[in-house]
Amino acid sequence: QAQLVESGGGLVQPGGSLRLSCAASGSIFSINPMGWYRQAPGKQRELGASITNGGNTNYAESVKGRFTISRDNAKNTVYLQMNSLKPEDTAVYYCYARLYSDYVWNNYWGQGTQVTVSS
């Protein structure tokens, strides 16, 4: 059974930076795409950024120019570098991946990691 394990959340002051990591493990043949969603209190989960196995990226307008998504295909890991963080970036961040595992494609989610931007 494949799974996603996230790390890197925490508390940071406005203007600061954080880097999130998410590693996929298990019997994995392919992953496409990988990405990060976020959910703020009282709001719906929304896409933050995604990346294909070919390196094509997609960002929410609210994070463009501040967040950078990258992946290491050899390690089945996706990263989210978050700079110039704002209080409105406060949310639980969820890693997402569409995996080909055990001969089927399925969507997988991480457990979520809290990011809090506050002075």
Side-chain angles (χ1 to χ4, degrees):
Q1 181 74 10
Q3 64 175 351
L4 304 178
V5 178
E6 303 150 344
S7 61
L11 172 65
V12 64
Q13 292 187 341
S17 298
L18 280 176
R19 189 191 195 210
L20 306 182
S21 299
C22 172
S25 62
S27 178
I28 299 169
F29 182 77
S30 183
I31 308 176
N32 195 34
M34 297 186 83
W36 293 92
Y37 282 70
R38 63 185 186 178
Q39 187 167 18
K43 295 187 177 181
Q44 289 189 332
R45 191 175 297 188
E46 63 177 9
L47 174 68
S50 65
I51 184 168
T52 68
N53 55 8
N56 293 318
T57 58
N58 182 40
Y59 294 94
E61 285 296 325
S62 59
V63 308
K64 279 183 179 178
R66 300 187 297 120
F67 291 10
T68 302
I69 190 169
S70 60
R71 63 189 283 177
D72 184 333
N73 290 332
K75 296 181 178 179
N76 290 334
T77 299
V78 64
Y79 306 96
L80 186 68
Q81 178 66 43
M82 304 184 293
N83 298 329
S84 302
L85 282 161
K86 304 175 181 180
E88 51 263 43
D89 293 318
T90 295
V92 178
Y93 284 69
Y94 295 92
C95 178
Y96 162 81
R98 186 160 177 78
L99 303 177
Y100 188 74
S101 176
D102 295 328
Y103 306 105
V104 295
W105 283 97
N106 273 314
N107 298 323
Y108 289 81
W109 294 91
Q111 77 280 5
T113 185
Q114 177 69 46
V115 171
T116 302
V117 185
S118 175
S119 55

